[in-house]
Amino acid sequence: MSGSSSLRVYVSCAPGLEPYLTNEIRSLGVSLSETGNTSKTSALQGAEEEKGGIEFSGDEQQVYLCNLHLRTASRVVVRLGEFYAAAFSELRKKAGRLEWERYLSPGQPVEVKVTCHKSRLYHSDAVAERILGAIEDRLHKPVKTESTISSRQLVLVRLVNDLCTISIDSSGELLHRRGYRQAVAKAPLRETLAAGLLSASGWQPGIPLVDPFCGSGTIPIEAALIARGIAPGINRRFAFQNWSNFKADLYQSILDTARKNIKPSESSIYASDRDHGAIEMATANAARTGVNQDIHFACHALSDLPVQPEAGWIITNPPYGLRVSSSKDLRNLYASLGKLLRTEFHDWSLGLLCSDIKLVGALELGKPKTSNSLLNGGIPVKFSIFIR
């Protein structure tokens, strides 16, 4: 067994965020093979973008970097093995040949999640039982499956047309859980989606940013993290830290570099909401990240939004019926926002997340320059961008 052999790494994301995830992986300083640049040594050669994520060849260092730095990723997994299995005995035998010892210590708690499609082995619980048996065969020790143990290792098994793909989760909790959002408003926006909206808009640190419907503060907080270069995973723990081959010195070096790269914010970020409780939540969430001094929070209605000294971006996730209250007609709210853009903020650009095209039309800002299809809490939404 070689600890330096290449790994197949798959980074998942919410549908629609794939292009931004790809750009983030490139921003880590690696060159992907589709760029045609093969002169540089890259651990991410052979990258393949697909719906819901991107797969590439890498090593442990890239696994650590991706978990720590990627803002739009949901999970980072390592492909342990792939093989065909049409019988349970075959499944256990082939799974038992995999190098489980690279990631699991004997007796470490394991959780197996299985999905089966168009395969002769279609009973997910029976598949999970054989995988656990295969791990025991390889490590020569019974596997614990207690669900309450935080150190348990998630193993993902996917059977499609009898092709079995087994992956080891390196993230632990989903990556949108940065650790700062302990309080949420009525319709919380995932941190990964908020980061994707900022990336899709073209907003850059140093450009003023306003969110007049900030809720629990996810968009402005993610913007502040970007502006200061704070790695999104800097204050949390990852599953790879429990791996038997975990390189603690390497990860500590990566973490130290990330901390050294944090810089003071030069961005003007203004966040408001008419709900006093939401502003209290947002302020508390920002304080947990250490960016509360980088965001000006205020409680007031949209009509009282103060004009900022220089133009920038309004990026926001306003109410749109399905997420808050389907009984209310929100067209007046959107009409008011549109009027504000046409008058007081006429030279500002707008990025708006909404599920209802009629509400977007109520802005009366014309046709958006771009409109990206995304999912927010399982609801199909569009992120409409108006460049002023």
Side-chain angles (χ1 to χ4, degrees):
M1 181 186 71
S2 172
S4 60
S5 60
S6 179
L7 304 175
R8 283 178 60 201
V9 182
Y10 181 74
V11 186
S12 64
C13 65
L17 295 182
E18 297 89 351
Y20 316 112
L21 175 60
T22 302
N23 290 338
E24 281 198 273
I25 291 176
R26 287 198 179 102
S27 76
L28 293 178
V30 299
S31 59
L32 305 186
S33 61
E34 63 263 34
T35 65
N37 182 1
T38 58
S39 61
K40 291 184 179 180
T41 300
S42 171
L44 299 187
Q45 294 296 328
E48 179 183 348
E49 185 180 321
E50 54 185 90
K51 187 172 178 61
I54 181 170
E55 184 171 304
F56 56 80
S57 298
D59 60 17
E60 286 89 353
Q61 181 172 350
Q62 276 69 48
V63 172
Y64 301 169
L65 284 167
C66 285
N67 276 288
L68 180 64
H69 286 286
L70 295 180
R71 301 181 189 278
T72 58
S74 298
R75 190 189 294 281
V76 181
V77 303
V78 173
R79 304 296 198 203
L80 183 61
E82 194 169 68
F83 52 82
Y84 283 96
F88 285 117
S89 58
E90 183 182 19
L91 173 68
R92 180 163 180 166
K93 184 178 181 180
K94 289 183 175 179
R97 294 172 182 162
L98 302 179
E99 294 181 319
W100 294 100
E101 65 274 11
R102 289 186 67 173
Y103 307 99
L104 296 175
S105 301
Q108 182 178 354
V110 174
E111 178 185 4
V112 180
K113 287 188 177 181
V114 180
T115 56
C116 303
H117 300 285
K118 300 179 180 178
S119 297
R120 276 169 276 193
L121 302 180
Y122 58 86
H123 195 291
S124 58
D125 288 344
V127 170
E129 182 182 334
R130 271 43 172 214
I131 296 299
L132 289 170
I135 296 172
E136 292 178 349
D137 295 343
R138 181 78 181 191
L139 301 183
H140 308 294
K141 190 164 185 177
V143 175
K144 297 179 182 177
T145 58
E146 292 94 333
S147 61
T148 57
I149 299 178
S150 61
S151 63
R152 68 186 183 278
Q153 174 62 59
L154 177 62
V155 175
L156 301 169
V157 181
R158 191 165 184 259
L159 269 160
V160 180
N161 295 319
D162 296 332
L163 178 65
C164 180
T165 303
I166 299 179
S167 303
I168 298 287
D169 169 47
S170 72
S171 300
E173 284 194 297
L174 288 172
L175 294 177
H176 78 271
R177 294 180 178 174
R178 321 282 206 222
Y180 67 77
R181 199 175 66 173
Q182 296 179 17
V184 297
K186 289 182 184 177
L189 185 72
R190 278 196 174 185
E191 295 85 337
T192 46
L193 182 53
L197 301 185
L198 291 162
S199 181
S201 71
W203 173 84
Q204 295 291 329
I207 299 174
L209 175 71
V210 170
D211 181 0
F213 305 100
C214 72
S216 52
T218 311
I219 291 175
I221 291 172
E222 289 296 312
L225 292 174
I226 293 170
R228 295 194 57 190
I230 300 175
I234 203 164
N235 291 320
R236 56 162 283 171
R237 186 173 176 84
F238 301 102
F240 65 72
Q241 292 175 266
N242 297 321
W243 287 356
S244 55
N245 70 347
F246 173 53
K247 300 174 181 175
D249 290 344
L250 173 61
Y251 182 60
Q252 188 60 53
S253 174
I254 291 171
L255 200 55
D256 289 343
T257 299
R259 287 174 176 151
K260 287 178 184 176
N261 288 338
I262 297 174
K263 53 185 178 290
S265 176
E266 297 180 355
S267 294
S268 171
I269 302 173
Y270 186 94
S272 62
D273 199 289
R274 67 182 304 163
D275 185 334
H276 183 73
I279 292 299
E280 287 185 342
M281 293 179 205
T283 303
N285 290 337
R288 273 185 282 272
T289 68
V291 299
N292 50 313
Q293 298 300 317
D294 305 309
I295 306 168
H296 180 86
F297 288 105
C299 181
H300 56 69
L302 175 65
S303 57
D304 294 324
L305 186 66
V307 178
Q308 305 297 307
E310 57 180 307
W313 276 91
I314 292 178
I315 300 176
T316 191
N317 174 40
Y320 40 84
L322 289 171
R323 298 284 291 168
V324 179
S325 174
S326 57
S327 63
K328 293 183 179 179
D329 185 351
L330 296 170
R331 284 177 295 181
N332 289 339
L333 178 66
Y334 281 73
S336 297
L337 178 60
K339 183 179 179 182
L340 197 68
L341 264 294
R342 294 192 304 274
T343 56
E344 305 293 336
F345 289 78
H346 58 86
D347 50 356
W348 283 63
S349 295
L350 171 68
L352 180 135
L353 191 70
C354 185
S355 67
D356 191 337
I357 192 171
K358 292 181 180 178
L359 291 177
V360 177
L363 294 169
E364 296 185 5
L365 295 176
K367 185 178 180 181
K369 181 180 179 181
T370 59
S371 184
N372 301 289
S373 296
L374 301 162
L375 287 176
N376 183 19
I379 299 170
V381 291
K382 286 190 179 295
F383 184 57
S384 300
I385 299 172
F386 298 86
I387 303 295
R388 310 290 287 179

